[in-house]
């Protein structure tokens, strides 16, 4: 990411999602990988994040179940749960994308900011 950071295209920050600061500019995209299931009050946090996004901005919540014995059904159930929470937070155009992987598939719950 060095080149993108130096050119100002990427800015990396470390913070707790529940204490997410206001950004200097509105966001086009938000990506979460394997942490959404641990967020405290996910609908409230998603709603807050949606307020930081541009109209038609995209959020993607990626998850690969890692519990012993996890199955592709576990992944799909997580995707459906994530989409339900995205919908409650006001996101639209919800969909689940699944990538076959080992030991279990990975899902991406995708939503759009309608504001």
């Amino acid at each position: 990411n060095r080149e993108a950071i130096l050119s100002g295209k990427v800015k990396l920050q470390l913070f707790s999602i529940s204490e997410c600061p206001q950004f200097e500019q509105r966001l086009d995209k938000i990506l979460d990988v394997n942490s959404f299931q641990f967020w405290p009050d996910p609908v409230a946090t998603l709603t807050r994040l949606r307020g930081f996004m541009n109209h038609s901005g995209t959020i993607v919540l990626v998850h690969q179940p890692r519990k012993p014995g996890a199955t592709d059904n576990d992944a799909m159930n997580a995707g459906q749960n994530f989409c339900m929470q995205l919908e409650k937070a006001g996101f639209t155009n919800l969909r689940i994308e699944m990538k076959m992987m080992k030991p279990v598939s990975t899902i991406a719950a995708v939503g759009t900011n309608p504001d």
Side-chain angles (χ1 to χ4, degrees):
N1 293 316
R2 179 186 313 262
E3 202 172 298
I5 292 168
L6 292 174
S7 71
K9 292 181 181 179
V10 171
K11 181 177 181 180
L12 301 177
Q13 295 179 313
L14 177 63
F15 50 80
S16 168
I17 194 65
S18 60
E19 298 170 2
C20 179
Q22 182 72 31
F23 296 95
E24 295 168 13
Q25 297 178 353
R26 293 180 88 49
L27 305 175
D28 294 318
K29 297 177 183 167
I30 295 175
L31 172 66
D32 171 76
V33 179
N34 287 331
S35 74
F36 180 72
Q37 66 274 20
F38 302 113
W39 289 13
D41 201 352
V43 173
T45 303
L46 287 169
T47 301
R48 186 164 183 257
L49 290 174
R50 196 168 65 79
F52 297 158
M53 297 177 74
N54 284 319
H55 172 70
S56 299
T58 301
I59 187 166
V60 181
L61 306 173
V62 178
H63 179 65
Q64 183 184 38
R66 301 302 290 176
K67 68 181 182 183
T71 66
D72 289 350
N73 280 341
D74 294 322
M76 186 55 72
N77 289 339
Q80 291 169 345
N81 179 39
F82 290 9
C83 280
M84 182 177 62
Q85 294 183 66
L86 285 165
E87 182 176 45
K88 287 179 182 178
F91 287 94
T92 59
N93 300 323
L94 303 172
R95 70 181 187 279
I96 299 171
E97 297 180 10
M98 189 172 216
K99 180 173 182 173
M100 303 304 281
M101 298 181 74
K102 297 211 182 231
V104 64
S105 293
T106 298
I107 61 91
V110 182
T112 302
N113 181 22
D115 289 343

